[in-house]
Amino acid sequence: RVATREATAAGIRWIFAPMVDVARDARWGRIVEGCGEDPYLNAVMAAARVRGIQGDGIDNPESAIATVKHYIAYGAAEGGRDYNTVDLSERSLRETYLPPFTAAIEAGAGAVMVAFNEINAVPATSNRFTVEEILRGELDFDGIVVSDWGSIYELKNHRSAGDLLSASAQALNAGVDIDMESRGYVKHLES
């Protein structure tokens, strides 16, 4: 709450936090940003952090929009390598990696940031199943879905898209509302 008051005093009204990734491999460099390996602890902390950022409502000048990240299973990257692939069952997705996001959304999070990683060979940024079916459909999330920094452009690196136009179309069709940094929506949205 204190950090949000400081941010809003400087005019910042949208915060890219909390990071709620369940992380079980100490080799992953971002492990220190989260709340560890326990889905329950991560869920409790996710909800508390959303309430701290958003306060009694984002219309309060000392509140901001919370962005829950990195959706989803980013902390399960193989070998602890950033942006890497994730190979997991739907059961693990739902029982281990989804609870913190569910708790944050139930606490009223205004935004969700999709991750860099692939889940079962589908990049999170273009994963219609996780974004449209689970996040929007099952969790009834109606807030903002934003890409991670350059993750739409990185669909080319995942070999999911051949160019920025195709990458932008994939992300948009998967339910990503805002393109952070790739500039694909700006260049190709009308296409």
Side-chain angles (χ1 to χ4, degrees):
R1 190 73 194 126
V2 170
T4 301
R5 285 186 180 132
E6 291 176 358
T8 57
I12 297 168
R13 297 298 306 273
W14 186 10
I15 296 176
F16 293 155
M19 189 275 232
V20 302
D21 298 313
V22 173
R24 295 182 167 173
D25 188 337
R27 295 175 295 178
W28 188 50
R30 300 191 81 160
I31 198 166
V32 298
E33 289 182 63
C35 295
E37 63 186 5
D38 183 82
Y40 176 75
L41 175 61
N42 272 276
V44 170
M45 294 300 288
R49 291 169 72 191
V50 166
R51 288 191 299 272
I53 294 168
Q54 295 192 174
D56 57 3
I58 59 171
D59 55 335
N60 179 332
E62 291 187 334
S63 293
I65 295 172
T67 305
V68 186
K69 61 182 193 172
H70 304 89
Y71 187 76
I72 188 167
Y74 191 37
E78 290 182 4
R81 295 183 301 252
D82 245 0
Y83 317 141
N84 204 14
T85 191
V86 172
D87 184 18
L88 81 161
S89 67
E90 188 170 341
R91 179 180 177 182
S92 291
L93 180 76
R94 291 179 180 279
E95 291 181 3
T96 302
Y97 299 97
L98 193 57
F101 290 94
T102 302
I105 290 162
E106 289 173 354
V112 171
M113 180 185 291
V114 291
F116 283 113
N117 58 286
E118 293 181 359
I119 302 168
N120 301 331
V122 180
T125 302
S126 63
N127 196 322
R128 189 165 176 74
F129 172 68
T130 58
V131 177
E132 285 296 322
E133 291 184 34
I134 296 177
L135 182 65
R136 297 266 192 218
E138 294 176 26
L139 300 182
D140 200 29
F141 178 71
D142 65 353
I144 301 163
V145 177
V146 61
S147 75
D148 205 333
W149 182 268
S151 69
I152 292 176
Y153 183 83
E154 289 200 16
L155 291 174
K156 291 173 48 179
N157 296 339
H158 284 291
R159 307 268 194 268
S160 175
D163 56 26
L164 187 56
L165 172 62
S166 175
S168 299
Q170 286 180 29
L172 189 63
N173 289 330
V176 177
D177 301 311
I178 297 175
D179 171 2
M180 182 171 34
E181 197 281 323
S182 294
R183 304 193 190 285
Y185 287 7
V186 171
K187 291 179 183 175
H188 299 295
L189 197 56
E190 290 185 19
S191 303

